[in-house]
Amino acid sequence: MSRSLRRGAVAALIIATAPVLAACSAGDGAASLQVKPNAAATTIGSTLKLNGITVVTATNGSNTANVVANIANNSSTTPETLTSVSVDGNPATLSGPAVIPPLGSLLVSGPGQVTAQVASLSETPGQNATVNFTFANAGSTSVQALVNAGAGDYATYAPAAPTPPPVATLSPLPSPSGSTPVTGKTTGKTTAKTTAKASISATP
């Protein structure tokens, strides 16, 4: 093969594989979450695909964290439900029903969607955690997911800051009803008058 033909074949191969390489580097999760393409991904059977799996820590100094995952349901007829999530064996609390409709998707812990929050996370940003997902029909799967700090691109996926409790205010106690203050002047005058009258009446 001549040098020009070899160059042409190499160029054609690069052009043909470029979209595949781009898709592998970015992934569905990166496009959906608008975060860096370093999140885990997995599939369950032929119907469920999980992309952009990561654990995002709180920014208020607590150990809480949200599990983030973009779950796609490729079934055209059957909805799927995420029943539980855990991190390193510690169960996460789902804020509501996590239903993935047929040919639809659910961004767990995305803005305005159901969240999966862990009360206490052992790992710190930059480490990996074992995340388990359990579904009503498809079963369970586990992945190693990177822990990210809830700042920058991940700020909208971090646990919400707790609402401070209301401040109690004290009001003065009302005076007891029906009570009439008695002054020393009135008491003394009444006592003297009563004593004098009793003395006069008792004189023969």
Side-chain angles (χ1 to χ4, degrees):
M1 182 181 293
S2 65
R3 180 176 299 178
S4 60
L5 290 176
R6 284 198 301 270
R7 289 178 178 174
V10 172
L13 180 61
I14 293 174
I15 293 174
T17 58
V20 177
L21 294 175
C24 291
S25 64
D28 295 337
S32 301
L33 298 179
Q34 297 179 350
V35 296
K36 298 178 182 179
N38 57 357
T42 188
T43 58
I44 306 180
S46 59
T47 58
L48 285 184
K49 187 173 183 180
L50 289 74
N51 291 307
I53 305 170
T54 185
V55 180
V56 181
T57 61
T59 58
N60 58 2
S62 67
N63 292 330
T64 58
N66 280 348
V67 177
V68 181
N70 187 16
I71 307 173
N73 182 7
N74 293 326
S75 173
S76 60
T77 58
T78 306
E80 183 59 274
T81 301
L82 176 65
T83 58
S84 68
V85 181
S86 66
V87 180
D88 298 328
N90 297 319
T93 301
L94 295 173
S95 63
V99 179
I100 307 98
L103 300 179
S105 63
L106 172 68
L107 179 54
V108 180
S109 297
Q113 301 200 45
V114 59
T115 60
Q117 187 171 124
V118 181
S120 181
L121 181 71
S122 301
E123 290 82 5
T124 57
Q127 296 180 328
N128 286 328
T130 302
V131 182
N132 180 269
F133 299 89
T134 301
F135 296 89
N137 301 317
S140 301
T141 185
S142 294
V143 297
Q144 290 292 309
L146 184 66
V147 177
N148 289 283
D153 292 333
Y154 297 95
T156 55
Y157 306 100
T163 304
V167 179
T169 56
L170 298 177
S171 58
L173 296 175
S175 300
S177 59
S179 61
T180 303
V182 179
T183 63
K185 181 178 180 181
T186 304
T187 302
K189 184 177 181 181
T190 303
T191 302
K193 183 182 295 185
T194 303
T195 303
K197 184 177 181 180
S199 300
I200 294 173
S201 301
T203 303

